[in-house]
Amino acid sequence: ATGTNTLPAVILLLISLGGGIYSFAYGLRSRVVLSGSRITVRGALQEKTADRSEIEGMRTISTRSATYTQLCLAEGRGAIRVIRGFETDGDFDAWFRRIPDLDLRDRDAVLDQIAHDEALGATPSERLSTLRYATAWNVLLIVTAVMLALVLNLGDDSLQPSAALLLALLPVAVIVLVWRSPLLYAFLKQRKDPRTDLGFVLMVAGFGLLIRCRGIHLVDSEAALAAAAVIALVFVVTLFSFMSDGSTFWGRMIGLLLFAGLYGYGVVVLADTMPDHAQPVRYTTTVVGKHTSSGRSTSYILDLAPWGPVEEKNHISVSGSAYYRASIGDAICFNSRPGVFHIAWYTQIECNGAPSVNQ
């Protein structure tokens, strides 16, 4: 048992040690060397070199942690990453100015397609002006999504079902716009892409629906997660052809899966619970333990004894004040309903007229 308990600590120690060694090696070894027309980029563990004639062009890649230049080798022979976190001189900048900017090339190609698409207007300038109208529509959709999310979470109960339905339909409108006008609209586009990005609509809709799910607990969350995964897969299949180009494909695809997953889960949970007006069944259980979980924020969790349809030890998250007020043996009460799609759900209620521990 002792070995099992110490295994996580050992793994964490090895990860920390490996990270420290890598950081030390990176600081000691990493450098960029320019010699005539050749460039050599050395990292912590490897070294890559190429002649300027072997480089098709460069792209600027932005992530949460850094922005770097990616040198794309000709004939699909890979890429060389150049971190720009150091001081440069004029010779360095002049060397890179002779490398074609692939992001700018792609941007100009899209603008040229728009200018020559007769369906968008009579003249090239008129066709290019449609980008401004596309941006205006995007802003309108984002503002609408924000307003619907506010009504759904803060508005009158009688307005919330309509707000939920409209908010759930907005991402469908996004897909329609991308399919009908791919030259004007994109989804989680690359930075220099001139088209308007509709990804924010899905993001706002997803978070708005998810926040409304607070306080709703599912007896079988796996069923809701499976349905949410199917919805996310539909988004991936529908939008894949519009996201398959570009060096940031995988990053954008992960973003699509994340936002579509949040949206799908919110849609499934609210579609199952909001129209469910069945007579609730009341259950009572007790607190058998409590613990916290730390990450970017601290979660306060009460462990509960089995009750009703929940046949195993379970738990709920509560506020910090409720966590410190709760004691082992305290009663916790729930109202349970079957769900429109037969995904049983429950909410915490007061016990015997006394406030519940999370209030």
Side-chain angles (χ1 to χ4, degrees):
T2 303
T4 302
N5 293 334
T6 59
L7 182 60
V10 171
I11 294 176
L12 181 60
L13 177 62
L14 291 176
I15 293 175
S16 300
L17 182 62
I21 293 174
Y22 179 86
S23 298
F24 178 77
Y26 185 84
L28 184 66
R29 283 177 43 86
S30 63
R31 65 192 61 189
V32 176
V33 179
L34 298 178
S35 178
S37 63
R38 296 195 68 82
I39 182 172
T40 300
V41 180
R42 181 187 299 171
L45 303 176
Q46 61 180 347
E47 180 176 298
K48 292 185 176 182
T49 184
D51 189 83
R52 190 158 48 212
S53 62
E54 301 173 315
I55 300 173
E56 179 185 1
M58 64 179 180
R59 295 187 183 278
T60 301
I61 309 297
S62 297
T63 65
R64 283 187 173 185
S65 57
T67 297
Y68 60 90
T69 298
Q70 180 172 279
L71 300 176
C72 302
L73 302 182
E75 300 176 358
R77 292 186 290 111
I80 300 176
R81 178 184 298 187
V82 182
I83 303 295
R84 301 295 293 268
F86 48 85
E87 293 185 6
T88 61
D89 56 19
D91 292 338
F92 183 95
D93 297 334
W95 196 95
F96 272 83
R97 278 197 297 269
R98 298 180 65 180
I99 304 296
D101 188 331
L102 298 182
D103 293 330
L104 187 59
R105 183 194 67 182
D106 292 346
R107 176 182 182 276
D108 291 340
V110 172
L111 291 174
D112 184 65
Q113 285 182 279
I114 294 173
H116 288 85
D117 190 339
E118 296 180 356
L120 297 177
T123 65
S125 60
E126 183 178 332
R127 297 161 193 161
L128 289 172
S129 68
T130 57
L131 284 170
R132 293 197 299 270
Y133 296 110
T135 301
W137 273 109
N138 188 34
V139 171
L140 178 62
L141 286 173
I142 293 174
V143 171
T144 302
V146 171
M147 296 301 296
L148 289 173
L150 290 174
V151 172
L152 177 61
N153 288 278
L154 303 175
D156 187 85
D157 290 347
S158 62
L159 299 176
Q160 291 184 11
S162 298
L165 176 61
L166 293 174
L167 191 59
L169 289 176
L170 281 183
V172 178
V174 164
I175 293 177
V176 172
L177 284 173
V178 172
W179 269 89
R180 290 188 60 182
S181 304
L183 288 179
L184 302 179
Y185 299 100
F187 198 88
L188 299 179
K189 66 174 187 175
Q190 300 184 87
R191 188 175 65 170
K192 291 186 179 180
D193 193 323
R195 296 171 295 175
T196 188
D197 192 343
L198 294 173
F200 293 102
V201 179
L202 176 61
M203 180 177 67
V204 173
F207 279 107
L209 294 168
L210 187 68
I211 292 172
R212 179 59 180 79
C213 295
R214 67 191 187 281
I216 298 175
H217 309 278
L218 303 178
V219 173
D220 181 14
S221 60
E222 292 181 359
L225 290 174
V230 171
I231 293 175
L233 182 61
V234 169
F235 272 85
V236 170
V237 171
T238 306
L239 297 171
F240 181 84
S241 61
F242 302 99
M243 301 180 66
S244 57
D245 295 332
S247 57
T248 58
F249 166 74
W250 287 111
R252 290 182 291 131
M253 186 57 65
I254 291 173
L256 172 60
L257 285 170
L258 173 62
F259 297 143
L262 295 178
Y263 165 80
Y265 184 81
V267 166
V268 171
V269 172
L270 295 185
D272 182 66
T273 60
M274 291 190 78
D276 184 7
H277 302 299
Q279 184 67 28
V281 179
R282 175 172 169 151
Y283 294 97
T284 301
T285 187
T286 56
V287 177
V288 297
K290 49 194 288 190
H291 64 278
T292 60
S293 176
S294 298
R296 291 189 175 182
S297 60
T298 300
S299 298
Y300 301 91
I301 301 168
L302 300 181
D303 300 314
L304 307 177
W307 57 273
V310 183
E311 300 176 352
E312 299 177 349
K313 182 179 177 181
N314 54 104
H315 60 266
I316 58 170
S317 296
V318 298
S319 65
S321 58
Y323 175 85
Y324 290 110
R325 286 201 312 269
S327 302
I328 305 300
D330 281 356
I332 304 291
C333 298
F334 297 115
N335 266 350
S336 178
R337 291 182 172 86
V340 172
F341 298 110
H342 305 292
I343 303 176
W345 59 286
Y346 57 95
T347 55
Q348 188 177 348
I349 60 172
E350 297 180 354
C351 292
N352 300 322
S356 58
V357 296
N358 72 336
Q359 294 181 333

